[in-house]
Amino acid sequence: MSFPVKVNEVTYDFRSVPLAIASLYGGPVVSILLYLTLLIYRFLLGNPNNALYALSILPSFVFVLLLYKNYPYQKLYQKIAVAILLCTAIKLTTFSTYFFITQGSLQQVMQQPLATLNTYILQAVIIGVCVYAIEFLQSYFYMQEEVIKSEKTKIVSDMAASVAHEIRNPLTTVRGFIQLLAADDVDKQKKQFYQRICLEELDRAQLIISDYLSLAKPDPESIEAISVHEEITYLSNLLITYANYNNIQIHKVLPEDQVLQIIGDRYKFRQALINIGKNAIEALRDGGMLEIKVSKKNDHIIINLNDTGIGMTAEQIKRLGTPYYSTKEKGTGLGTMVSFGIIKKMNGKIEITSEPGKGTEYKLIFPSSSESA
């Protein structure tokens, strides 16, 4: 409106473009405000016959009321077509009413039809591009919202599956020891031992739940020196009932002349070892052996878990530790993923070598406590 083009003393501008688009997308309230703004600005520019002009644009407001309700449900090409038609209708009804009332004919408008047509074509192109851009941006933001929602849903699903997987391990252990406690030939000392293991595993389950509940606002980890001898002994005692049930032998090799320590969270380290050990036992079919060996090389402590199970291919090893990938039929892969994350957070390294049909070796490498300090 501030920089119009005159063709044969007829003023052309693109006021109808924002008027049509905003009316279709904003509805009657926005449309009324824009029409009032248009009239006020026309008055401020000093144009004559403002009351007559207000009367001439009234039919276009009626068109808006008829079109805006169904507009959001139309396809893209239909929206572009409707916007172009409304924009053209605004201009045509304004010119027709205004010039017919003031001059009694439309001869002045029709004197140069080609130049007039060019302004309408340019206006149609502009409003078509604007509608396309609006629809594209709306689709983009809608897709972003959907992606965010799906990610949140996936996170909740992963968390639920991970919690269930992590809690199942200690509960399975407790169930096994409770069955042993029911046996008649168990002496008092063994019963006390089984009872202690059950309580420790229930405490571990409680700690796992606390860890997941505090993910949104994690507390500082309990970093301490961990005795590798104690943890491997605990691991072998914990897995032995599960192994015996499956006719599997557990053999541990610990250096007796060395005190081996690493730095980290004791309970998370224990959680990682139990997950890997339990997976190794489940990979053994019709008996077999799981060997847990600890050694020290230079300033690093190496924990080897060797099983004589079904083994894995190079592709399976590559995918191990990713969410929802597991070599087990009913596995989620989340336990392995959590275990690998715990080991890496303790500055540890994981090396896996395997051959189908011959077994798998997990090599966990940690800095010794002196190196970590």
Side-chain angles (χ1 to χ4, degrees), residues 250-314:
I250 295 179
H251 179 61
K252 63 178 179 178
V253 179
L254 298 174
E256 307 212 354
D257 57 341
Q258 292 177 301
V259 178
L260 304 180
Q261 290 185 330
I262 59 175
I263 296 297
D265 188 308
R266 179 187 303 274
Y267 293 101
K268 288 185 178 179
F269 176 67
R270 186 175 292 180
Q271 176 185 348
L273 288 181
I274 290 171
N275 274 331
I276 295 173
K278 188 170 179 287
N279 288 340
I281 291 175
E282 291 173 351
L284 295 164
R285 295 177 179 175
D286 301 325
M289 177 179 286
L290 171 63
E291 182 184 63
I292 306 171
K293 182 179 178 181
V294 179
S295 60
K296 185 175 182 181
K297 186 175 180 180
N298 298 328
D299 294 320
H300 289 82
I301 295 172
I302 302 171
I303 303 173
N304 293 83
L305 289 91
N306 298 285
D307 68 64
T308 56
I310 58 175
M312 293 182 289
T313 63

Side-chain angles (χ1 to χ4, degrees), residues 41-156:
Y41 192 66
R42 190 178 187 278
F43 173 77
L44 294 175
L45 289 175
N47 291 322
N49 302 319
N50 288 293
L52 181 60
Y53 181 78
L55 179 64
S56 67
I57 64 171
L58 187 60
S60 64
F61 181 72
V62 177
F63 294 155
V64 170
L65 295 179
L66 294 174
L67 296 172
Y68 89 94
K69 287 185 178 180
N70 295 325
Y71 188 76
Y73 308 104
Q74 295 174 334
K75 297 180 180 178
L76 177 60
Y77 73 90
Q78 293 174 325
K79 289 183 177 182
I80 293 174
V82 169
I84 291 173
L85 289 174
L86 178 59
C87 191
T88 304
I90 291 173
K91 193 174 286 292
L92 285 176
T93 55
T94 302
F95 280 151
S96 300
T97 307
Y98 184 80
F99 280 98
F100 186 79
I101 293 176
T102 57
Q103 300 182 13
S105 69
L106 299 175
Q107 183 178 0
Q108 190 174 1
V109 178
M110 302 301 296
Q111 282 183 358
Q112 294 186 359
L114 186 60
T116 301
L117 181 63
N118 286 337
T119 62
Y120 281 90
I121 293 174
L122 181 59
Q123 174 182 270
V125 170
I126 292 172
I127 197 169
V129 170
C130 289
V131 171
Y132 179 83
I134 291 171
E135 291 297 318
F136 175 80
L137 290 174
Q138 284 186 341
S139 299
Y140 176 76
F141 289 125
Y142 175 76
M143 288 175 61
Q144 274 193 324
E145 290 179 356
E146 288 300 311
V147 168
I148 292 171
K149 288 179 182 178
S150 65
E151 285 295 324
K152 289 181 178 179
T153 303
K154 184 176 181 300
I155 289 171
V156 172

